[in-house]
Amino acid sequence: MKKQTYIIIIFFFINLIQAQKNSQDYFTLKGVLKNNYKGYLYVSYADKKDSCLLENNKFSFKGHISGNMTNVFFWLKGKTCVMKKEFFLENKNIKINLAFYDEIQDRDTTVFFHATSIVGTKTALIQDDYERFAASNLYAKDRHQKLYRKLNTMAVKNPKNYYVGTLIEEMCWDSTLDKNQLKKIYSKLDKKNQRESTIYIIEKKLYPKNDINVNDMVYDFELPDENNIVFKTVYLKGKWYLIDFWATYCSICIAAFPKLQKIHDLYKDRNFEILAVSVDKDLQQWQNFLNMHDLKWKNLIEKRGIDNSEAVKKYISFTPSNFLINPEGKIVASNISPEDLEKFLKKNLK
């Protein structure tokens, strides 16, 4: 009996060692950019950057990520770029077909990247499965019930997966599922292994706290700019200004920048300013972004993030968020779109 037990234990450890040897601790990312673009394609992931000279529209990257996965950002030098849909990197051999298109609005151009196919990651399989489910049940009479069961099953089976966490985050902005249903699904996630920003937004949406509201007076704060010079909001007293809270990982925030830049250029000499406050905890990533983009307004950073900042957490629970302040220091609007902001300024600034 003892001999059999020893054999079982030895067999277990042999298989464990073999599994560890077979476990890949790096990724390869090979693909085709379907645009006839000549030059370098850049990629950012975690705190790393890499570049590849395109040859016959093909590119290849190799690297390592710590943890299960991380999101990837593709970009072209000197251009404002946005990922149309998040792409998650794993330590696997990955093949991807990539494309981009330019969207021109009022002479400002934004490049939108999107993956037309991804092979090699577990997340890609999860994503494809969910998208097929969503398409086949778009007009189903019992769509709400099916969606609840689907997301709940996904959270149970993949509690650490970023894509699953992102889906639940997106549902918090929707009215398809009620809060009680979302809370039940959320309870299945492995919160320690999800992205901090995802968990933060979900909890703020499902378990909201009071923040600064319209008609309140501005809560003044001071933060460093890109040159590490402290700037105070009291310096803007007597002006109209927009406090725009954002982060480099927030694609929605970045997509609004071209329109905001146009508004800033139009009204900067008419007693209006934009104060862009980043909540990135990675100072270098924020500085790299500023070096890549020519943002003419005032740029500040709260590198403690949202929850650890006494000032910022009074204003917001998530990004993007903004507040329009009048010359008397009163908040007259919050989360105003660039289009509505332009209409407001056109009416109120002569």
Side-chain angles (χ1 to χ4, degrees):
M1 184 68 181
K2 286 183 178 180
K3 186 177 180 180
Q4 289 178 332
T5 303
Y6 289 143
I7 292 172
I8 292 171
I9 293 172
I10 291 169
F11 181 76
F12 171 79
F13 278 107
I14 289 172
N15 279 285
L16 181 62
I17 292 168
Q18 190 62 43
Q20 289 175 340
K21 285 182 179 179
N22 293 334
S23 179
Q24 186 167 304
D25 65 348
Y26 65 91
F27 70 83
T28 61
L29 178 60
K30 297 181 180 181
V32 176
L33 183 62
K34 291 190 173 182
N35 306 70
N36 290 319
Y37 179 82
K38 295 182 179 180
Y40 281 88
L41 176 67
Y42 294 83
V43 65
S44 299
Y45 58 95
D47 58 347
K48 301 172 184 175
K49 291 193 302 180
D50 202 353
S51 62
C52 177
L53 181 62
L54 290 162
E55 296 183 4
N56 298 320
N57 296 331
K58 295 180 180 180
F59 58 87
S60 178
F61 296 97
K62 184 176 181 179
H64 164 79
I65 62 168
S66 58
N68 295 322
M69 59 195 304
T70 189
N71 59 313
V72 179
F73 181 69
F74 290 101
W75 47 284
L76 305 175
K77 194 170 185 178
K79 296 181 181 291
T80 300
C81 300
V82 176
M83 294 296 296
K84 189 70 175 177
K85 185 169 60 176
E86 280 194 297
F87 165 47
F88 296 102
L89 194 62
E90 301 170 16
N91 283 325
K92 304 284 186 180
N93 296 317
I94 306 166
K95 293 183 179 179
I96 180 173
N97 286 327
L98 193 65
F100 70 81
Y101 63 90
D102 295 339
E103 188 172 294
I104 302 174
Q105 296 177 332
D106 300 315
R107 294 180 294 181
D108 295 310
T109 302
T110 301
V111 176
F112 287 89
F113 276 95
H114 62 104
T116 57
S117 70
I118 304 168
V119 177
T121 69
K122 181 180 178 181
T123 302
L125 297 175
I126 296 171
Q127 190 168 351
D128 288 345
D129 176 69
Y130 176 77
E131 289 178 353
R132 286 194 298 271
F133 162 83
S136 62
N137 289 281
L138 186 60
Y139 301 108
K141 292 182 179 179
D142 57 347
R143 176 173 173 266
H144 291 199
Q145 291 82 357
K146 286 184 175 179
L147 180 61
Y148 169 71
R149 291 194 296 268
K150 181 66 174 179
L151 289 176
N152 191 66
T153 300
M154 290 174 70
V156 170
K157 290 184 176 180
N158 307 283
K160 299 179 182 180
N161 189 273
Y162 286 2
Y163 174 70
V164 176
T166 300
L167 278 179
I168 297 170
E169 177 189 335
E170 290 174 355
M171 288 297 159
C172 290
W173 295 88
D174 201 331
S175 58
T176 306
L177 300 179
D178 63 42
K179 279 191 176 182
N180 287 330
Q181 289 176 312
L182 288 169
K183 286 177 181 178
K184 290 177 182 177
I185 298 170
Y186 174 60
S187 68
K188 310 299 193 307
L189 288 184
D190 183 340
K191 300 172 186 61
K192 291 182 179 180
N193 285 287
Q194 285 285 338
R195 286 183 291 187
E196 184 179 331
S197 58
T198 297
I199 296 302
Y200 188 88
I201 292 174
I202 293 174
E203 292 195 348
K204 289 296 183 181
K205 294 296 287 184
L206 297 183
Y207 307 97
K209 297 177 182 178
N210 292 327
D211 294 315
I212 291 175
N213 298 305
V214 173
N215 294 322
D216 289 342
M217 296 303 291
V218 65
Y219 180 85
D220 285 312
F221 57 87
E222 55 185 66
L223 290 170
D225 64 13
E226 62 269 38
N227 298 313
N228 203 32
I229 298 172
V230 172
F231 183 88
K232 301 179 181 181
T233 52
V234 293
Y235 296 161
L236 295 173
K237 190 172 182 180
K239 280 179 172 279
W240 289 92
Y241 62 99
L242 182 78
I243 306 177
D244 185 44
F245 293 99
W246 70 287
T248 57
Y249 52 78
C250 175
S251 59
I252 300 174
C253 306
I254 297 168
F257 281 178
K259 293 179 182 177
L260 289 176
Q261 187 70 65
K262 178 201 166 190
I263 293 170
H264 182 261
D265 291 345
L266 189 62
Y267 290 97
K268 64 182 179 180
D269 296 325
R270 296 160 71 177
N271 204 37
F272 174 73
E273 185 56 85
I274 292 179
L275 190 64
V277 179
S278 167
V279 294
D280 282 284
K281 293 183 178 180
D282 188 331
L283 179 63
Q284 189 61 53
Q285 186 166 310
W286 173 67
Q287 290 176 331
N288 289 342
F289 185 93
L290 295 185
N291 290 335
M292 287 164 45
H293 302 83
D294 189 23
L295 304 180
K296 299 291 188 181
W297 49 64
K298 195 65 182 175
N299 294 290
L300 308 180
I301 186 167
E302 175 49 279
K303 59 184 179 181
R304 293 173 294 182
I306 297 174
D307 220 21
N308 294 318
S309 170
E310 188 63 32
V312 173
K313 71 180 180 182
K314 286 181 180 290
Y315 280 95
I316 67 169
S317 302
F318 45 80
T319 59
S321 294
N322 65 47
F323 294 84
L324 181 62
I325 318 297
N326 73 9
E328 288 72 45
K330 186 177 181 179
I331 298 171
V332 297
S334 65
N335 296 326
I336 187 170
S337 68
E339 293 79 9
D340 288 340
L341 174 62
E342 188 169 14
K343 290 177 184 177
F344 183 95
L345 295 178
K346 185 176 181 180
K347 180 179 178 182
N348 290 276
L349 271 67
K350 304 301 181 184

